[in-house]
C-alpha cells in the first residue's frame, strides 16, 4: 500500500510509527516499574515464621549449641595441634636417646669395663623418663581427639534435630510461598487484563483514527505486558494453569479467525453481487491500487494476469479493471481518479468499458 502514498505522506507515516514505538517504550518502562514493585505488597517469608513458640525457642537453643560446638571444635583443633607437636618432640627425643644408649651399650660390651655399670643404669632410667613423657604427650593427643569427637557428635545431633524441626516449617512455608506466587500473579493479571481489553477495544474501534500512533503504542504496550510481564510468571501447578491458558487463548483466537473468515466470505459474496460501478466506488482507492500492484483483483483478491492487454475485466468476479477515457479514448485503470493520458477527472468521465 505504501507505493500508492505520496512521498511526504510515506515519511510522515514512518515518523508516526516511530512515535507509536517510543510511546509504547515509555509505557512499558512505567509498567515494568509497577510490576517490579508488586512483590513488595507481600511480606517476605521467613522460615522462623512457620515455627510455633516452642519450636522457635528450641531452634534458638539448638543454634546456640551448634555455635558453641563449632567454637569448641576450633579450640580443640588448636589444642590438639599443640599436643601433637609435643608428642612429635617427645618421640624425637626418645628416639635420639635410644640410639645414644644403643651406641653406648655397644661400646660398653666392647670394653667390658665394670666401672661403667652405674652409667648404664642412669642412662636407662633417663630413657624410661623420656618414654613416660612421650606416653603423657600421646595421652594428651588422644584426650583432645576424644573431645573433638564428642564435640562433633554433639554438633551433628543438634544439626539433625534442627533439620527435623525445620522440615515441617519448610513444608508449611512452601505452601504459603505458592499462595504468595498465586496472589502476585493475580495482581499482575488484574493489571494486564484490563490493559489487554482496552487494547482490543482500541484495535477494533480506533486503529485507523486520527490518533492511531497512540492507539498502536498502547496496543504494543498491552501485548508486551501480557506476554512478557504476565505469561512467564504463570504459577505452574503441574502445568495446568499454563496449558489451560494456552488452550483458552488458542480457542478464542481460532474462533475469532473462523468467524472473521466467514464474515469476509459473506461480505465478498454480497459485494460481488452488486453492480460493477457501485463495487468500484465502494473500494478504497489506495487498497485497490495496492492489490493491482500485487497482480490480484481488487474486488475478489484472486490472481489476474494484468500484463495481458486483452484483460479488462476480472475473469473471477467480473469487476471492471481497465476502461477507456471518454475524453481521449486512452486505455486506463478503471480505479484511477484521473486519466493518465489527458488528466480528465473520473467524475467527468462515463464508465464505458472497452
Amino acid at each position: 500500500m505504501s507505493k500508492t502514498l505520496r512521498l511526504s505522506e510515506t515519511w510522515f507515516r514512518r515518523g508516526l510509527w516511530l512515535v507509536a514505538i517510543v510511546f509504547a517504550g515509555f509505557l512499558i518502562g512505567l509498567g515494568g516499574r509497577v510490576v517490579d514493585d508488586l512483590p513488595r505488597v507481600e511480606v517476605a517469608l521467613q522460615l522462623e515464621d512457620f515455627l510455633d513458640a516452642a519450636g522457635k525457642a528450641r531452634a534458638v537453643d539448638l543454634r546456640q549449641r551448634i555455635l558453641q560446638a563449632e567454637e569448641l571444635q576450633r579450640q580443640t583443633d588448636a589444642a590438639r595441634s599443640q599436643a601433637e607437636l609435643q608428642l612429635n618432640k617427645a618421640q624425637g627425643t626418645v628416639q635420639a636417646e635410644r640410639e645414644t644408649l644403643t651406641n653406648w651399650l655397644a661400646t660398653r660390651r666392647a670394653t667390658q669395663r665394670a666401672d661403667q655399670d652405674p652409667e648404664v643404669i642412669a642412662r636407662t632410667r633417663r630413657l624410661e623418663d623420656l618414654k613416660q613423657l612421650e606416653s603423657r604427650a600421646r595421652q594428651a593427643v588422644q584426650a583432645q581427639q576424644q573431645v573433638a569427637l564428642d564435640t562433633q557428635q554433639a554438633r551433628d545431633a543438634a544439626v539433625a534435630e534442627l533439620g527435623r524441626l525445620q522440615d515441617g516449617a519448610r513444608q508449611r512455608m512452601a505452601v504459603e510461598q505458592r499462595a504468595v506466587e498465586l496472589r502476585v500473579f493475580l495482581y499482575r493479571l488484574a493489571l494486564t487484563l484490563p490493559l489487554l481489553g482496552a487494547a482490543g477495544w482500541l484495535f477494533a474501534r480506533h486503529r485507523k483514527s486520527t490518533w492511531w500512533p497512540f492507539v498502536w503504542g498502547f496496543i504494543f504496550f498491552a501485548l508486551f505486558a501480557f506476554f512478557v510481564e504476565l505469561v512467564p510468571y504463570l504459577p505452574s501447578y503441574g502445568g495446568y494453569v499454563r496449558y489451560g491458558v494456552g488452550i483458552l487463548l488458542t480457542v478464542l483466537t481460532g474462533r475469532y479467525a473462523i468467524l472473521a473468515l466467514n464474515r469476509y466470505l459473506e461480505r465478498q459474496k454480497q459485494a460481488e453481487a452488486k453492480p460493477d460501478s457501485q463495487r468500484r466506488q465502494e473500494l478504497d482507492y489506495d487498497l485497490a491500487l495496492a492489490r493491482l500492484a500485487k497482480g490480484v483483483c481488487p474486488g475478489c483478491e484472486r490472481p489476474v494476469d494484468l500484463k495481458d492487454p486483452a484483460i479488462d475485466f476480472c475473469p473471477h468476479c467480473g469487476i471492471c479493471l481497465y476502461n477507456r477515457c471518454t475524453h481521449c479514448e486512452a486505455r486506463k485503470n478503471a480505479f484511477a481518479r484521473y486519466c493518465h493520458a489527458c488528466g480528465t477527472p473520473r467524475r467527468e468521465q462515463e464508465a464505458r468499458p472497452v
Side-chain angles (χ1 to χ4, degrees):
M1 187 182 298
S2 60
K3 296 180 180 179
T4 66
L5 298 178
R6 301 174 181 88
L7 181 60
S8 298
E9 184 179 358
T10 300
W11 282 103
F12 269 115
R13 285 185 176 273
R14 291 175 180 174
L16 291 176
W17 275 114
L18 180 61
V19 170
I21 294 174
V22 172
F23 182 60
F26 282 114
L27 288 177
I28 289 171
L30 178 62
R33 295 300 300 269
V34 174
V35 171
D36 289 341
D37 288 337
L38 281 180
R40 300 181 184 179
V41 301
E42 296 286 345
V43 178
L45 300 180
Q46 301 292 334
L47 191 61
E48 295 295 326
D49 298 335
F50 297 90
L51 294 172
D52 55 18
K56 289 181 180 180
R58 183 58 179 168
V60 171
D61 179 63
L62 289 172
R63 290 194 184 94
Q64 186 65 31
R65 287 170 55 184
I66 292 172
L67 291 176
Q68 292 175 353
E70 291 175 348
E71 179 62 25
L72 183 57
Q73 278 184 322
R74 286 191 290 270
Q75 296 175 1
T76 302
D77 290 340
R80 185 176 57 186
S81 298
Q82 292 292 332
E84 290 175 348
L85 179 61
Q86 296 298 325
L87 176 60
N88 291 333
K89 290 172 60 178
Q91 289 175 339
T93 303
V94 169
Q95 182 63 27
E97 186 66 22
R98 182 180 291 110
E99 291 176 356
T100 301
L101 178 60
T102 301
N103 294 333
W104 193 88
L105 288 176
T107 303
R108 169 70 179 80
R109 285 194 294 272
T111 58
Q112 296 293 323
R113 293 176 57 184
D115 59 337
Q116 292 181 340
D117 289 342
E119 183 67 20
V120 172
I121 297 173
R123 288 179 178 272
T124 302
R125 289 178 178 176
R126 176 176 175 77
L127 180 60
E128 292 296 330
D129 293 339
L130 291 175
K131 287 183 177 180
Q132 291 180 1
L133 290 176
E134 179 185 359
S135 177
R136 286 195 293 271
R138 182 177 290 105
Q139 291 174 359
V141 171
Q142 293 173 349
Q144 294 299 329
Q145 289 176 341
Q146 184 64 45
V147 172
L149 178 61
D150 295 341
T151 304
Q152 182 64 38
Q153 291 177 345
R155 180 188 177 280
D156 292 343
V159 169
E161 184 178 353
L162 181 61
R164 290 191 297 269
L165 188 65
Q166 291 178 337
D167 284 341
R170 191 172 289 109
Q171 294 176 359
R172 293 188 291 273
M173 182 178 176
V175 174
E176 182 61 23
Q177 185 67 42
R178 287 193 293 269
V180 170
E181 291 175 356
L182 180 59
R183 286 197 295 270
V184 172
F185 167 72
L186 293 177
Y187 297 151
R188 293 174 181 265
L189 190 63
L191 286 176
T192 54
L193 277 187
L195 294 177
L196 201 61
W201 180 80
L202 289 173
F203 177 80
R205 299 293 183 88
H206 299 284
R207 68 178 183 273
K208 296 183 179 180
S209 66
T210 304
W211 310 104
W212 66 266
F214 299 108
V215 172
W216 280 102
F218 186 85
I219 290 173
F220 293 153
F221 160 63
L223 293 176
F224 181 89
F226 183 78
F227 288 103
V228 178
E229 298 291 353
L230 176 66
V231 172
Y233 293 93
L234 284 174
S236 179
Y237 297 102
Y240 297 119
V241 175
R242 188 182 301 275
Y243 292 118
V245 172
I247 291 171
L248 179 61
L249 291 177
T250 304
V251 170
L252 292 178
T253 304
R255 180 179 180 276
Y256 175 80
I258 293 172
L259 295 178
L261 175 61
N262 292 332
R263 288 194 298 267
Y264 167 77
L265 294 176
E266 184 63 27
R267 286 195 305 268
Q268 287 296 107
K269 184 183 297 184
Q270 295 175 0
E272 293 176 9
K274 295 179 181 179
D276 178 82
S277 59
Q278 182 180 353
R279 292 175 63 189
R280 283 189 284 111
Q281 290 177 359
E282 292 178 352
L283 275 172
D284 180 75
Y285 174 70
D286 292 330
L287 180 60
L289 295 185
R291 289 178 179 175
L292 286 172
K294 296 177 181 178
V296 298
C297 171
C300 64
E301 300 183 49
R302 295 184 178 94
V304 179
D305 186 9
L306 299 177
K307 296 180 180 180
D308 188 350
I311 295 180
D312 291 331
F313 292 86
C314 175
H316 307 291
C317 67
I319 194 171
C320 181
L321 303 176
Y322 291 93
N323 57 16
R324 291 191 178 276
C325 174
T326 57
H327 182 74
C328 67
E329 293 298 324
R331 184 175 181 268
K332 67 177 185 63
N333 188 334
F335 298 91
R337 294 175 179 174
Y338 297 88
C339 175
H340 67 277
C342 65
T344 302
R346 184 174 60 184
R347 65 176 177 271
E348 298 180 6
Q349 302 174 17
E350 295 179 0
R352 183 168 57 87
V354 178

